């Protein structure tokens, strides 16, 4: 009989309310350290940007730091760093986030800053052209002039998917970025940056009543606008294997990535969760199945990793998403052989089940990572804001370790059996460094 793993629980408190303008608010107080994390998440991401405007969601994230209604350019930087805090923002497939970590006494400062740019960023021709140049340079540094740039998160989706929202380059083409106008930016803000299309989460050292009053005072008069209708991003799964390759002129060694569709991470969460655990069973640690077989025994890859979601955000992504494996190979590596061994190991798991203690060890490690990640105030504010946005259940953050611990061997075996070659998309990197 498989040993049941005992997972420690978190009990972070959750207070929820909605302002008259539709802004959803999540508060999770913790008086143990004098620090606060503030996150504002908008329900717009790479999948929402229109055709002909690739990279626009990310470009707009940059524009949100270029001043706002009452603040000049770079004022956000000055006010947060001047209070001893840090800040950033990031663009994902299904949302865009903005966040600060500050001393507890600076909470109101962060709320004012976020409310001010929610009313309206400074969308000027100068700011737009400047940030287009910044994003283009980011693409050069992170994709065009870096070995394995965009592998696999930009390279695999167009092999795996057919529709523009799922298949296009989320960083954007230079042509699309350069043709963006201030009117485009204003239209994007008006449609997607409505208060009713956002959540605000605050975690850390604050009094709930005081924070509620501050939030009402700063965000309550942000004009309400209709929440946009979320497009349907789903599309049929693969019925035959798809394989493509490309030459990376900077890559010194070959690499391969494979992806399979998985159940809806929100609508079919119970069916989805075993795939999250399976990724760890296969690739997390030296004792994991694919590391032991591919790296240590057969020595046909130098590294292998597995995860869910093209941006590694398994609990913060909508359907469709994918189970991903990626591996780097030694010189002359055979991608076909790597895939055959992966299939062998999946079949072995599907027919022979798990070894004694294998699942319990994996679940304990996953729970440890979750508990560690939520220890920091931003590790609570950000995921709770997204969970509220996508599911209306920020308290799921407390439940995830337990739910992972409840995944059974039978479910893992069924998940492994579902990852068949005829439902797989792969992309191979052909090294061009020596050409």
């Amino acid at each position: 009989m498989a040993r049941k793993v005992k997972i420690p629980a978190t009990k972070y408190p959750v207070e929820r309310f909605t302002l008259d303008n539709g802004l959803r608010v999540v508060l999770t107080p913790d008086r143990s350290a004098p620090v606060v994390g503030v996150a504002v998440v908008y329900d717009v991401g790479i999948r929402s940007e229109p055709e002909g405007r690739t990279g626009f969601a990310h470009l707009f994230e940059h524009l949100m730091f270029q001043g706002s209604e009452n603040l000049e350019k770079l004022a956000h930087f000055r006010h947060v760093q001047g209070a001893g805090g840090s800040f950033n923002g990031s663009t994902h497939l299904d949302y865009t986030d903005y966040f600060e970590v500050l001393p507890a006494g600076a909470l109101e400062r962060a709320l004012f800053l976020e409310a001010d740019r929610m009313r309206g960023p400074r969308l000027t021709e100068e700011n737009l052209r400047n940030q287009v140049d910044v994003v283009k340079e980011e693409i050069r540094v992170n994709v065009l002039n870096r070995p394995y740039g965009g592998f696999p998160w930009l390279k695999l989706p167009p092999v795996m998917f057919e529709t523009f929202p799922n298949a296009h380059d989320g960083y954007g083409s230079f042509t699309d970025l350069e043709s963006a106008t201030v009117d485009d930016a204003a239209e994007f803000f008006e449609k997607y940056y409505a208060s009713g299309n956002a959540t605000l989460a605050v975690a850390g050292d604050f009094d709930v009543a005081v924070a509620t009053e501050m939030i009402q005072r700063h965000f309550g008069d942000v004009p309400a606008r209709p929440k946009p209708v979320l497009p349907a991003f789903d599309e049929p799964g693969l019925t035959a294997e798809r394989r493509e390759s490309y030459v990376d002129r900077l890559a010194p060694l070959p690499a391969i990535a494979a992806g399979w569709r998985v159940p809806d991470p929100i609508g079919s969460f119970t069916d989805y969760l075993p795939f999250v655990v399976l990724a760890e069973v296969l690739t997390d640690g030296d004792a994991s199945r694919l590391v032991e077989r591919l790296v240590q025994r057969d020595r046909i890859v130098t590294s292998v990793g597995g995860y869910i979601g093209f941006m590694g955000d398994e609990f913060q992504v909508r359907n469709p998403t994918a189970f991903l494996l990626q591996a780097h190979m030694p010189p002359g590596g055979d991608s076909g052989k790597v895939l055959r061994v992966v299939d062998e190991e999946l079949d072995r798991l599907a027919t022979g089940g798990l070894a004694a203690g294998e699942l319990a060890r994996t679940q304990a490690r996953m729970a440890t990572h979750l508990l560690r990640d939520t220890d920091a105030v931003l590790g609570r504010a950000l995921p709770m804001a997204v969970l509220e946005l996508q599911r209306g259940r920020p308290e799921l953050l407390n439940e995830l370790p337990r739910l992972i611990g409840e995944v059974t061997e039978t479910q893992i075996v069924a998940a492994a059996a579902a990852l068949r070659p005829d439902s797989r998309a792969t992309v191979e990197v052909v090294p061009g460094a020596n050409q």
Side-chain angles (χ1 to χ4, degrees), residues 127-138:
N127 285 344
L128 177 61
R129 299 275 71 85
N130 173 269
Q131 293 310 302
V132 165
D133 288 343
V134 169
V135 170
K136 286 168 59 179
E137 184 61 22
E138 195 174 313

Side-chain angles (χ1 to χ4, degrees), residues 8-16 26-33 202-206 208 367-384 387 393-401:
T10 56
K11 296 181 180 179
Y12 296 118
V14 176
E15 303 267 356
R16 301 170 65 233
V26 179
L27 302 178
T28 176
D30 176 2
R31 312 307 293 266
S32 62
V202 183
D205 184 13
F206 61 87
V208 169
T368 298
H369 292 162
L370 282 168
L371 295 168
R372 181 194 62 202
D373 292 345
T374 58
D375 192 50
V377 290
L378 198 59
R380 281 165 259 161
L382 267 173
M384 281 191 177
L387 291 171
R393 294 201 66 238
E395 64 274 12
L396 180 62
L397 192 67
N398 285 323
E399 302 167 13
L400 284 175

Side-chain angles (χ1 to χ4, degrees), residues 27 71 123 129 137 163 175 194 218 220 243 270 363 379-380 382 390 402 420 427:
L27 302 178
L71 295 166
L123 302 177
R129 299 275 71 85
E137 184 61 22
T163 63
T175 299
H218 288 289
R243 295 185 65 171
T270 301
Q363 289 167 319
R380 281 165 259 161
L382 267 173
Q390 296 181 346
R402 173 182 60 80
R420 307 308 306 157
V427 64

Side-chain angles (χ1 to χ4, degrees), residues 16 21 35 72 81 95-96 146 148 153 207 210 232 253-254 280 282 284 330 348 350 355 360 384 392 400-401 429 434:
R16 301 170 65 233
N21 58 17
V35 62
E72 75 279 11
Q81 292 173 339
Y95 66 92
T96 307
R146 172 179 291 185
Y148 312 103
W153 79 279
D207 178 86
V210 172
L253 297 169
E280 303 297 313
L282 291 174
D284 188 28
R348 187 167 71 90
M384 281 191 177
L400 284 175
V429 178
N434 297 321

Side-chain angles (χ1 to χ4, degrees), residues 19 39 52 54 75 90 114 171-172 284 293 307 312 322 348 409 427 434:
L19 299 184
T54 60
S90 58
E114 290 296 352
Y171 244 139
D284 188 28
R293 175 76 190 276
Y307 49 97
R348 187 167 71 90
E409 179 177 351
V427 64
N434 297 321

